[in-house]
Amino acid sequence: MKEVRDVTHKFFQLPYEEKLKIKMTPQSGYRGYQRIGENVTKGKPDMHEAIDCYTPIRPGKYGDLAKPMEGSNLWPENPSNFEALLENYINLCRDLSRKIMRGIALALGGAIDAFEGETAGDPFWVLRLIGYPVDIPEEQRTDTGCGAHTDYGLLTLVNQDDDICALEVQNRSGEWIYATPIPGTFVCNIGDMLKVWSNGIYQSTLHRVVNNSPRYRVSVAFFYESNFDAAIEPVQFCREKTGGAAKYDKVVYGEHLVKKVLTNFVM
């Protein structure tokens, strides 16, 4: 976890021209580096820079559904160990997430493999390496590193710097509280697809980032999602626990993600 944060710090310390070698564009399937203010939450530029990575999608794999996101990830040549380290990290996070989802399935009263098969037997994943600078020009600055939002998938593992409080979550009373870093641990966020699947037993966490620290902060978020083409709807045994009726409409995960990706960036 620390190695991944360290290599992320090193990348963001590179000259701007070097970072632009892996610039995100529509042609790259929205993979690659984005500068400060390019990511937009609810119409407001976010004060962070990032590298976005997605499960590689070969042309035609999901038909028109995934067309805007077809492609492979753009890895920087510097630091030289970046690609190998991150691909290993992705595999480890994917295995860990699958185990956590088995625990969630059991906690809900389902079978241990309830999320396998057509739901998440072939899970799509997203990785965002995010840097929160402190020296942003006054005319460009907004008050949030990342605006309030929920995540799109099933589960998010957030690997954040150990010594900076910046990630805030909204509790049930509507108050914003710090997700204070605990060294050696992930913050686990519930995403929209798990909210729908569980018929609201698990709620997706509204969260935001406000970096008031005088130091540059790094956060690496791994998003464990359903199958890209999965149609997610409240599962029967969760409906039975919550009055019988479905509280949410069916959502095709890939449609949900593509819609968000196409409206999330100003380029």
Side-chain angles (χ1 to χ4, degrees):
M1 290 171 72
K2 185 174 185 311
E3 269 187 89
V4 165
R5 293 197 310 273
D6 287 348
V7 84
T8 302
H9 270 286
K10 283 178 186 167
F11 174 82
F12 288 133
Q13 285 164 5
L14 293 172
Y16 186 53
E17 298 69 33
E18 186 71 20
K19 294 187 275 194
L20 283 180
K21 288 180 180 176
I22 59 161
K23 179 175 167 52
M24 171 197 288
T25 63
Q27 292 71 36
S28 70
Y30 295 91
R31 293 162 168 79
Y33 171 75
Q34 57 186 259
R35 59 179 170 74
I36 298 161
E38 269 187 339
N39 194 88
V40 174
T41 305
K42 295 179 180 164
K44 195 172 183 181
D46 292 319
M47 296 295 99
H48 69 248
E49 54 186 335
I51 301 175
D52 282 12
C53 312
Y54 299 96
T55 304
I57 303 176
R58 68 175 187 275
K61 182 174 182 184
Y62 299 109
D64 289 342
L65 179 64
K67 210 160 192 54
M69 298 186 64
E70 289 175 349
S72 300
N73 291 310
L74 304 178
W75 299 110
E77 292 176 7
N78 186 13
S80 59
N81 64 332
F82 196 98
E83 180 176 355
L85 180 67
L86 266 296
E87 290 199 330
N88 186 48
Y89 181 77
I90 287 162
N91 288 332
L92 291 169
C93 285
R94 194 168 48 195
D95 290 347
L96 175 59
S97 299
R98 194 183 290 271
K99 287 171 180 153
I100 294 171
M101 293 311 301
R102 287 174 181 164
I104 287 173
L106 292 172
L108 288 167
I112 195 168
D113 61 353
F115 289 100
E116 300 299 318
E118 291 182 2
T119 303
D122 180 24
F124 195 76
W125 57 261
V126 179
L127 183 76
R128 296 200 79 221
L129 302 107
I130 312 165
Y132 297 90
V134 288
D135 52 351
I136 301 167
E138 194 61 42
E139 66 276 7
Q140 192 186 354
R141 177 180 283 279
T142 67
D143 56 356
T144 47
C146 189
H149 65 285
T150 57
D151 293 338
Y152 317 148
L154 293 170
L155 179 74
T156 310
L157 302 180
V158 183
N159 175 8
Q160 56 177 338
D161 275 339
D162 286 343
D163 52 357
I164 298 175
C165 277
L167 175 61
E168 299 179 354
V169 295
Q170 195 174 68
N171 66 16
R172 287 184 176 177
S173 306
E175 304 164 313
W176 288 102
I177 58 172
Y178 280 123
T180 305
I182 302 170
T185 69
F186 291 105
V187 173
C188 297
N189 267 346
I190 299 299
D192 297 338
M193 294 302 111
L194 184 51
K195 176 185 75 173
V196 172
W197 194 90
S198 69
N199 209 29
I201 295 173
Y202 280 80
Q203 287 288 322
S204 38
T205 319
L206 192 66
H207 57 287
R208 68 185 185 187
V209 176
V210 181
N211 185 21
N212 290 321
S213 161
R215 283 176 296 132
Y216 194 102
R217 173 183 181 265
V218 150
S219 174
V220 180
F222 177 83
F223 303 87
Y224 186 82
E225 321 286 78
S226 63
N227 297 357
F228 191 85
D229 53 358
I232 304 297
E233 58 186 330
V235 72
Q236 183 61 37
F237 69 84
C238 287
R239 285 168 53 179
E240 288 166 5
K241 289 172 180 283
T242 49
K247 296 179 182 178
Y248 305 98
D249 295 333
K250 184 191 296 187
V251 184
V252 176
Y253 167 74
E255 285 179 7
H256 186 58
L257 178 65
V258 169
K259 195 183 300 178
K260 297 277 189 183
V261 167
L262 293 181
T263 56
N264 256 19
F265 305 108
V266 176
M267 296 185 189

